[in-house]
Amino acid sequence: MFKQFTFTLNNTNKIIAPSSIGIGSVYFKMEMRSTAENYNETLKNNLIKLFEQGKGVIHIDCAANYNVYPEFKDALKVNTERQLKKREELWVTDKFDTFLGTFPDPITHVNFVIKELNLNYLDLMLIHYPVVPAKNISLSIAEIWAQMETLKKEGKVKNIGVSNFSVKDLEKLKETAVIKPVVNQIEWNPYFMNQTLGIYDYCQENNILIEAYSPLYPITLSSSGEDVSEEGKNFNNYIDLLAFKYEITNSEVLLRYTIQMNVLPVTTSSNIERVLSNHNFNNDRPDLRLADEEVKKITELGKEHAQVSKYEKFVKYFESLLDN
Ligand SMILES: NC(=O)c1ccc[n+]([C@@H]2O[C@H](COP(=O)([O-])OP(=O)(O)OC[C@H]3O[C@@H](n4cnc5c(N)ncnc54)[C@H](OP(=O)(O)O)[C@@H]3O)[C@@H](O)[C@H]2O)c1
């Protein structure tokens, strides 16, 4: 029987892991706008194939500033026409863009998206960044959160959370929030376990589920040939060893590691076979667990490696927008 990993959120709702199709990163439009010329056929087709072939619930990670609503909309249309996945078999996360101000406020955003994508509700809505440099947004983070709470009460959004928040940002939010965020989506992998100081421990202690973007970065860094460090070699040799021992792929080792660290991986691929294998990874071996000492060793070897952030350059880019 097909068995998917689920985490229980702090509001008792369940969420499926991993998110196998993040529709940012490889599908992201750098030019920050969607046009007929940059329409991404691969994304649309990969979503449709996942609806056709992925068992259970499909967990999709979207955001306003990925500029992929047209492709997502077309894939969902095919899904409805061909009766592939029921609404409850889709988990749709979206993010309110405080940086570029794709929408002026969360209520306008969610009303647009659920109508445009014909979804009725969103499963999870996040504040994408903890600051509001966008000139067309006149709300503070506290006011944005209050709107997210309204959307949750109205049932237009089932769960609300944040992304790229630090401990300080979460503590500040607590001063005015009525509803606690269920997740904090941050960059997280064995080479980068604290996007900001103490964030991993804080979220674990406060029952805020960490969603990891770039959970496979150590593997992609090594396969790109960019990482020639001794620590990188040691890390990869150990992942190879575990992959061999359990007869699974290196990616699966890292997905399982992430989940055993109580973190939900948000991954993606331009290659549909990889998307499907990430989505289905738990299917054949639902009872497989890495041993506790293996999880510990991956963490230790990761810590020996210099901290590397895949998205640091984006953060710098966004910060440069703040200066202007
Ligand atoms: N909240 C935020 O601020 C934020 C920021 C960044 C990203 N995100 C979200 O997180 C998602 C994932 O981020 P990411 O792309 O950095 O994650 P990632 O999983 O670390 O990296 C994805 C890369 O891993 C490779 N890959 C995937 N599955 C593989 C497999 N089974 N074997 C070998 N290689 C594999 C893919 O390469 P190929 O394409 O060549 O297969 C892909 O380019 C994004 O799409 C986005 O939705 C959120």
Side-chain angles (χ1 to χ4, degrees):
M1 196 185 71
F2 184 63
K3 206 168 162 190
Q4 292 184 287
F5 269 107
T6 43
F7 286 96
T8 302
L9 299 169
N10 62 31
N11 61 8
T12 73
N13 289 341
K14 309 265 189 222
I15 184 169
I16 290 291
S19 170
S20 54
I21 189 144
I23 57 183
S25 51
V26 287
Y27 306 111
F28 180 61
K29 290 171 186 155
M30 284 304 287
E31 56 270 48
M32 297 289 188
R33 72 201 155 88
S34 196
T35 63
E37 288 74 45
N38 66 19
Y39 185 92
N40 192 326
E41 275 299 325
T42 308
L43 169 57
K44 185 189 80 182
N45 293 334
N46 284 356
L47 278 165
I48 294 169
K49 282 191 195 128
L50 190 54
F51 298 152
E52 282 168 347
Q53 294 174 39
K55 292 184 188 157
V57 177
I58 308 292
H59 183 156
I60 303 151
D61 185 79
C62 186
N65 65 14
Y66 298 162
N67 289 302
V68 289
Y69 290 135
E71 294 86 342
F72 192 11
K73 179 183 172 173
D74 290 347
L76 286 169
K77 200 161 164 259
V78 173
N79 181 61
T80 308
E81 281 163 7
R82 295 179 35 205
Q83 299 184 331
L84 299 171
K85 287 283 174 194
K86 299 191 190 90
R87 177 64 188 89
E88 61 273 23
E89 292 173 306
L90 301 174
W91 177 285
V92 179
T93 297
D94 204 2
K95 308 186 194 86
F96 177 66
D97 166 22
T98 51
F99 244 103
L100 303 172
T102 316
F103 296 95
D105 57 73
I107 291 178
T108 309
H109 178 161
V110 171
N111 283 338
F112 170 82
V113 171
I114 56 181
K115 187 159 180 266
E116 178 73 5
L117 302 185
N118 196 19
L119 279 172
N120 298 327
Y121 62 88
L122 293 175
D123 296 275
L124 175 62
M125 182 71 181
L126 309 179
I127 302 182
H128 208 147
Y129 299 100
V131 285
V132 193
K135 294 198 174 49
N136 63 329
I137 299 177
S138 55
L139 305 171
S140 65
I141 290 291
E143 290 164 333
I144 289 169
W145 188 253
Q147 283 209 4
M148 307 260 287
E149 292 179 331
T150 303
L151 288 162
K152 157 106 177 92
K153 282 180 206 136
E154 289 173 353
K156 290 181 176 167
V157 165
K158 299 281 182 200
N159 302 282
I160 53 176
V162 295
S163 178
N164 297 301
F165 271 47
S166 66
V167 172
K168 210 168 129 206
D169 299 322
L170 287 166
E171 282 289 299
K172 184 139 193 282
L173 188 69
K174 210 159 88 177
E175 290 168 14
T176 55
V178 179
I179 302 174
K180 186 173 166 172
V182 289
V183 308
N184 184 17
Q185 187 179 112
I186 56 173
E187 183 172 2
W188 191 94
N189 61 60
Y191 291 172
F192 198 63
M193 299 182 94
N194 279 292
Q195 186 189 38
T196 48
L197 194 67
I199 193 65
Y200 176 80
D201 286 346
Y202 180 92
C203 288
Q204 298 294 338
E205 283 157 17
N206 288 278
N207 198 11
I208 297 171
L209 178 67
I210 295 178
E211 289 192 338
Y213 63 83
S214 310
L216 302 182
Y217 192 40
I219 289 177
T220 52
L221 187 67
S222 141
S223 55
S224 70
E226 281 172 68
D227 186 8
V228 290
S229 69
E230 208 47 48
E231 293 80 9
K233 266 189 230 150
N234 292 342
F235 182 89
N236 284 302
N237 286 344
Y238 190 60
I239 300 295
D240 283 345
L241 190 120
L242 294 180
F244 181 74
K245 172 178 168 184
Y246 291 112
E247 299 179 326
I248 58 179
T249 63
N250 289 23
S251 303
E252 186 174 333
V253 173
L254 271 198
L255 291 178
R256 287 188 179 277
Y257 165 77
T258 307
I259 287 171
Q260 287 185 226
M261 288 292 286
N262 200 29
V263 171
L264 187 154
V266 179
T267 184
T268 199
S269 171
S270 49
N271 173 326
I272 185 59
E273 297 311 322
R274 284 177 169 177
V275 174
L276 281 164
S277 77
N278 293 337
H279 174 80
N280 291 326
F281 86 94
N282 199 40
N283 194 15
D284 297 336
R285 314 273 294 277
D287 298 321
L288 176 64
R289 274 183 69 82
L290 305 177
D292 290 348
E293 55 275 20
E294 291 165 345
V295 170
K296 207 164 148 225
K297 177 110 185 191
I298 295 175
T299 304
E300 280 165 11
L301 289 171
K303 280 189 183 153
E304 282 170 21
H305 192 280
Q307 281 206 41
V308 272
S309 159
K310 182 172 176 181
Y311 285 95
E312 210 168 36
K313 58 179 184 299
F314 280 99
V315 174
K316 291 215 170 92
Y317 165 68
F318 285 132
E319 280 171 358
S320 74
L321 296 180
L322 282 178
D323 298 337
N324 295 324

